Amino acid sequence: MRPEEEAQFAVYVTARRDRVRRTAYLVCGDWHKADDLTQIAFVKLYGAWERIRDYAALDAYVRSCLMRAAIDESRRPWRREQSTDEVPDGPAAGTAGDVDDLADLVADRDLVRTALRRVPRGQRAMVVLRFYEGLSVSDVARAMDCSEGNVKSQTARGLAALRSALTELTQGAGLG
């Protein structure tokens, strides 16, 4: 790769790294895995950089690499382990009455992330691309290399699974 191309690549990665990492986190639910997926996506981009003709399509290409990497990684046997942030016998986090608006916002985000982790991976990817990334059905279909009908059905199932997980979590915590 020529030095000017290398500089263009570095500028692009610097500008997009955090957004790609956040998307990866929403897809996989773990910051360490998100870092790995982000790195895989950018390595694939680096390998293809000299062949890129349309720099306006870079975001779509990176998203596609990211989604494929997430699916590939989820198929590896050692990736099937589930980690947990809390020890089951630990004390309840926080007490009632000392919660301000910021804490409520953080708790809501945490609740949605926890529920999102319970959505099957493929459906989770569809929901994240549609509602976090704000992509159209056709853009998601291109990113996931599937039909628009598949995007619609998997998104509907993913939303139903997310709704069910949120209901289960809020009732289990006495919030609903």
Side-chain angles (χ1 to χ4, degrees):
M1 187 182 297
R2 296 186 318 246
E4 59 272 6
E5 290 175 330
E6 188 108 13
Q8 287 176 325
F9 176 78
V11 167
Y12 177 80
V13 169
T14 302
R16 296 291 197 264
R17 179 181 45 227
D18 290 339
R19 182 169 180 85
V20 172
R21 185 173 178 252
R22 279 191 303 270
T23 301
Y25 173 75
L26 289 173
V27 169
C28 70
D30 179 278
W31 283 113
H32 298 291
K33 289 179 188 175
D35 289 336
D36 292 345
L37 294 174
T38 301
Q39 182 175 358
I40 290 168
F42 284 134
V43 165
K44 289 183 183 211
L45 176 64
Y46 184 83
W49 192 263
E50 292 175 329
R51 296 185 308 272
I52 293 175
R53 289 184 222 126
D54 182 10
Y55 288 100
L58 284 175
D59 290 341
Y61 181 79
V62 170
R63 250 191 316 275
S64 180
C65 290
L66 183 67
M67 292 304 127
R68 288 188 181 118
I71 290 168
D72 289 347
E73 287 295 306
S74 71
R75 292 178 179 154
R76 299 182 199 280
W78 60 84
R79 295 290 192 188
R80 292 189 192 128
E81 296 178 6
Q82 295 287 332
S83 62
T84 181
D85 292 333
E86 296 179 11
V87 177
D89 295 328
T95 58
D98 60 352
V99 179
D100 59 354
D101 291 338
L102 181 59
D104 285 341
L105 180 62
V106 170
D108 289 346
R109 267 192 209 154
D110 199 36
L111 181 68
V112 171
R113 284 186 193 132
T114 301
L116 198 54
R117 278 188 227 122
R118 294 183 179 195
V119 176
R121 290 180 197 276
Q123 294 171 8
R124 184 184 327 151
M126 300 288 183
V127 169
V128 167
L129 288 175
R130 284 285 288 131
F131 300 105
Y132 176 74
E133 286 287 320
L135 298 181
S136 68
V137 171
S138 60
D139 289 340
V140 174
R142 276 193 296 280
M144 297 297 292
D145 195 26
C146 64
S147 70
E148 289 184 18
N150 190 23
V151 171
K152 292 174 185 177
S153 66
Q154 291 299 307
T155 301
R157 289 184 185 126
L159 287 173
L162 181 60
R163 192 175 301 113
S164 174
L166 283 168
T167 301
E168 182 181 311
L169 287 169
T170 55
Q171 287 176 350
L175 299 173

